[in-house]
Amino acid sequence: SESHPVRAQSAYGTSKLAAEGYLQFYGDVYGTRYVVFRYANVYGPRQDPKGEAGVVAIFAKRILEGQRPTIYGDGTKTRDYVFVSDVVSANLAAMESVNHSDVMNLGRGIQVTDYEIFDLVRRAAGSDIQPVYADKRPGEADRVSLAAARAADLLKWKPAVAPEEGIQRTVDYFRDAIAP
């Protein structure tokens, strides 16, 4: 939940937490209103498959190109995944209805393992390719799941796109983007 103690374990997480601190400061001192969304792993079409973030896009592009994706760790690390259109709907709802400062999680509240995500992408691509396993990266949490009850209550928001549908839409996008 939003009240769970937050302890960043990476430079990326630290920068996001610092931004929240600045917003709280400006809210306290100057009365600035804000809404912070703590996003789960957002995925969907047009996500950049280059780099280390965006595992659904990375897996999709690699599998569609016949390359074996890398799973860091043994595949049991979990994340919470939310489709991009669900995040957009929460942002629009907040712009229309929130008139006070707040922090809200946006996620499905469901832990999905790295291997399960790989397998969903592989099946959506119609492939039988196997992953490559590498050592877990330093600072990565073993489990991540966001309770979004606050967003459900204040914004009347809940994610509408199931992972199977969202991943299929993402793989279809990359299939079309890669096609000659």
Side-chain angles (χ1 to χ4, degrees):
S1 73
E2 293 82 3
S3 63
H4 187 81
V6 179
R7 184 172 163 260
Q9 296 180 338
S10 67
Y12 177 65
T14 300
S15 70
K16 290 176 18 174
L17 191 55
E20 282 188 34
Y22 280 113
L23 288 169
Q24 183 177 3
F25 165 77
Y26 280 98
D28 292 346
V29 174
Y30 300 108
T32 304
R33 290 189 313 213
Y34 60 87
V35 173
V36 170
F37 284 132
R38 293 178 179 166
Y39 298 125
N41 285 34
V42 181
Y43 70 97
R46 295 181 196 72
Q47 186 170 29
D48 186 357
K50 299 176 186 115
E52 61 184 53
V55 70
V56 173
I58 293 167
F59 284 178
K61 186 168 188 306
R62 290 191 65 83
I63 290 170
L64 290 168
E65 291 176 342
Q67 300 174 21
R68 295 172 64 191
T70 301
I71 292 178
Y72 293 93
D74 63 4
T76 61
K77 187 169 65 323
T78 68
R79 296 291 180 266
D80 189 346
Y81 291 85
V82 63
F83 193 67
V84 65
S85 63
D86 289 330
V87 169
V88 170
S89 69
N91 279 266
L92 293 173
M95 289 175 20
E96 294 175 4
S97 65
V98 177
N99 59 6
H100 62 283
S101 296
D102 216 326
V103 175
M104 292 179 236
N105 290 336
L106 294 183
R108 297 184 62 77
I110 300 169
Q111 294 182 51
V112 182
T113 69
D114 291 347
Y115 185 82
E116 289 170 322
I117 286 296
F118 162 78
D119 195 46
L120 286 169
V121 172
R122 174 176 62 179
R123 285 188 284 142
S127 173
D128 61 357
I129 202 163
Q130 295 298 312
V132 173
Y133 291 91
D135 291 340
K136 185 177 139 186
R137 295 179 279 205
E140 283 193 312
D142 289 325
R143 296 172 26 145
V144 176
S145 178
L146 302 179
R150 184 179 214 88
D153 182 48
L154 296 174
L155 305 177
K156 309 302 180 226
W157 177 85
K158 67 177 185 174
V161 180
E164 295 80 5
E165 177 189 346
I167 288 173
Q168 186 66 62
R169 288 166 60 181
T170 304
V171 169
D172 290 346
Y173 167 80
F174 280 104
R175 182 179 286 117
D176 292 344
I178 292 171

